Each structure stands twice: as C-alpha cells, then as structure tokens.
Amino acid sequence: MPFHNPFVSRGDWNPLRGGPEIVRAFLETPRPDLFGGELIEGFERWWHPKTMWKWAQHIRAAGVFVRGGKEILRGRAEESNKNTHGLDVEEVRELIEPAAFEAMVECLKTDKPWEWLRANLLPEPRKKMEYGFQICDRSGVRALTDKPKVVIGTIHSVKGAEAEVVYLSPDLSRKGYEEWMGFPEQRDVVRRVFYVGMTRSSERLVLLGRSEKQAFIEWDA
C-alpha cells in the first residue's frame, strides 16, 4: 500500500518521492490512456526533449543509446523551450539502439508498459524506484501517481495533523526509552507524547501490540 509523510522530508517515509515523476514522464506522452487521456489507435506520440531527458538521464547508456546519443539528448533538452516541438519517431530512433527501440515500443503496448524503463534503469535509480514499480505491478500506474492515503511517521512528525483512523505503536525511540526508564517526571514527558498521538484520531484509534524488542517494558508502572 502506498504511504508517505507530507510533514517531513525523510526518504524512508516518502519512498515514492521523485519516482512517480520519472515514470509519468516516460509513460504519459505515448500512453495518455493510463492517466485519463485518450489513446488514438495508429497515432504515435513521442516526447518533448525535456520530458524525454527527465527519464532518459536515469537509463544506462550501454545497450540502449547509440554512441553519444544520451549526450545529444541532454543537449537538445537544455536548448529546448515550451515552443520546441516534440520529437518525431525518426529523431527518437536516431538516439536509441534499434533493438532497444523496438523492445521499448513493444513494451509500451502491453499492460505493464513501465517494464522497459524498469529493466534499463541505472542501479541506483532502480533501487530507489523498485517500491514504486511494485505498486505499479499490483495496482497500476495510477496508484503510483495518486496521492497516498496512508501517512506513516513518529508522533512528533504528525503533531497538529488529524486522521479519521490512527494506528498507534507503543514502541519507544532510544530517547523515549531513556526518559521512561528515568525519573518519574521524565515518564510524564512520554505520557504527554502518547497523548498527542492518541488525539490525532477523529474517529477510531487502534493501539498496536509491542514489538518483541520492547516486550520487557512495563507500561502499567
């Protein structure tokens, strides 16, 4: 299930940040039907240079681009503006190796048109985007680009926010553990934090069980 935390910039709480824009840049022009548009049979649409570079910069050069093709595309993207026409099929062919181009075109016709992009990403971008691709596999590309309905984070990170349903874990951070195991007045700090967490819910609060690592903590003290 897609999740995020719009109140912080942490990457592990926002695993879709950046990735959806790359997938959308790759798919929206040739497959507008995936985003609520109309796919006209027999009509091929290709990218504006800036749009193509947005996804192509994350693609490996070897086996995909012709020699110097990636640098040519980057130059065209830098020189282009909103009045620049989109690339035609021959211009795209001049940048990409024949076999890679044919594989891309065939993949774009399938029900999983993101697979060509996934298979040809450089290692680091692919690692960052794999979670997003898994969402595409299960629920389609619209699930990747729609705003996640689940927010995950610490109590501090969502202070001031509200949700109809809140799932609250009793596990403590290292600092919270030290405060709970300290003097009585320090325990009050932890209690106040959990009060904040409990009051984020407008309709339903679900208290989760403790993890095995913190099963020894006595909460009734």
Side-chain angles (χ1 to χ4, degrees):
M1 178 177 291
F3 66 87
H4 71 147
N5 189 319
F7 311 107
V8 297
S9 59
R10 280 183 53 168
D12 54 345
W13 289 348
N14 294 282
L16 296 179
R17 186 168 290 170
E21 289 79 9
I22 296 171
V23 176
R24 190 172 192 125
F26 177 66
L27 292 175
E28 190 168 25
T29 300
R31 289 294 306 271
D33 55 307
L34 298 175
F35 303 91
E38 182 181 1
L39 181 63
I40 302 174
E41 188 174 354
F43 175 65
E44 293 183 339
R45 301 175 61 197
W46 302 99
W47 304 274
H48 182 279
K50 286 189 182 296
T51 304
M52 186 173 179
W53 178 245
K54 190 170 186 177
W55 61 262
Q57 63 184 292
H58 303 288
I59 295 290
R60 59 188 175 88
V64 176
F65 290 93
V66 299
R67 183 181 295 274
K70 198 169 183 180
E71 290 303 309
I72 293 172
L73 175 60
R74 180 167 66 175
R76 294 194 62 174
E78 291 173 349
E79 295 171 0
S80 65
N81 55 51
K82 64 180 181 180
N83 296 318
T84 304
H85 67 79
L87 300 170
D88 61 38
V89 63
E90 292 306 320
E91 289 174 312
V92 177
R93 282 182 179 276
E94 290 174 359
L95 298 170
I96 299 178
E97 292 281 1
F101 178 83
E102 295 302 327
M104 179 183 69
V105 170
E106 289 305 310
C107 185
L108 285 170
K109 298 176 183 177
T110 69
D111 58 354
K112 289 188 176 182
W114 52 83
E115 284 296 340
W116 185 90
L117 178 68
R118 184 187 210 166
N120 291 289
L121 285 170
L122 291 164
E124 191 59 29
R126 182 172 183 177
K127 180 180 178 181
K128 291 181 179 179
M129 293 175 62
E130 183 55 32
Y131 174 73
F133 283 126
Q134 290 175 12
I135 290 174
C136 287
D137 292 339
R138 292 193 297 268
S139 306
V141 72
R142 288 295 292 270
L144 179 64
T145 57
D146 289 344
K147 181 180 179 180
K149 297 180 180 180
V150 175
V151 175
I152 189 170
T154 64
I155 294 173
H156 286 293
S157 73
V158 296
K159 185 176 181 180
E162 185 180 79
E164 293 180 357
V165 181
V166 170
Y167 289 81
L168 185 63
S169 169
D171 285 359
L172 297 172
S173 65
R174 178 177 296 180
K175 181 180 179 182
Y177 171 75
E178 291 172 352
E179 289 174 334
W180 185 253
M181 299 304 291
F183 296 107
E185 57 269 21
Q186 290 178 294
R187 289 194 170 194
D188 287 340
V189 174
V190 178
R191 291 189 180 100
R192 286 195 293 270
V193 170
F194 272 91
Y195 175 78
V196 171
M198 291 176 180
T199 54
R200 296 313 88 205
S201 170
S202 62
E203 294 187 9
R204 184 184 179 204
L205 172 67
V206 180
L207 295 177
L208 303 177
R210 292 175 292 184
S211 67
E212 292 183 2
K213 292 182 178 179
Q214 298 198 5
F216 64 91
I217 298 177
E218 295 294 337
W219 282 104
D220 57 350

